[in-house]
Amino acid sequence: INAEYGGAGDRQYGHALVVGIERNPKPITKSMGKKKQNKRNKLKPFVKVYNCNHLMPTRYVLDLPVDKEIFNKNAIKDPAQKRKALAAVKTKLEEKYKTGKTRWFFQKLRI
């Protein structure tokens, strides 16, 4: 979401604010009921500040419109604001998942 390559403040190294998926949605089948399908479509996001040396650049990018006031390094330090940020990103990611255009983003990586 946000990158600081030169380092600033309490982090004197290049770092980036990252949003990702901790737990992917589970696969569903036609035989499952609506209640079970809704439960299996849930995902768990995370918001973290990473050292840029520990990030691996890829060609995969997902454009996710987020509010810059909710997502900043200072807001993530406060637990109440972090919960609010996680809830906001969870709704955005679930909307993206339900459209079905970016299915590749919501699958586990093959190693």
Side-chain angles (χ1 to χ4, degrees):
I1 290 186
N2 190 7
E4 193 75 43
Y5 293 108
D10 59 342
R11 299 175 195 269
Q12 295 300 322
Y13 50 86
H15 54 280
L17 182 65
V18 178
V19 171
I21 300 174
E22 191 170 333
R23 187 173 52 235
N24 292 326
K26 296 177 181 175
I28 57 174
T29 61
K30 290 181 181 180
S31 63
M32 292 180 187
K34 284 284 185 192
K35 185 177 179 183
K36 190 163 189 173
Q37 284 181 2
N38 289 338
K39 191 172 183 177
R40 290 176 72 97
N41 275 338
K42 301 284 183 204
L43 55 87
K44 184 177 179 183
F46 69 87
V47 178
K48 248 181 174 178
V49 178
Y50 273 109
N51 187 339
C52 285
N53 292 336
H54 299 164
L55 294 176
M56 188 173 82
T58 64
R59 62 186 175 145
Y60 303 112
V61 176
L62 182 69
D63 292 328
L64 195 65
V66 292
D67 188 14
K68 295 293 182 182
E69 292 178 8
I70 294 175
F71 290 101
N72 58 35
K73 290 183 290 184
N74 297 331
I76 301 303
K77 289 179 184 176
D78 182 32
Q81 290 180 341
K82 186 173 182 177
R83 274 194 298 274
K84 188 192 293 187
L86 284 172
V89 78
K90 182 177 180 177
T91 57
K92 298 276 186 184
L93 285 172
E94 284 181 352
E95 287 174 12
K96 264 305 196 201
Y97 177 70
K98 288 178 183 174
T99 60
K101 293 180 182 176
T102 54
R103 287 280 186 197
W104 56 268
F105 187 75
F106 298 98
Q107 295 174 352
K108 282 189 173 181
L109 292 173
R110 292 184 303 168
I111 297 176

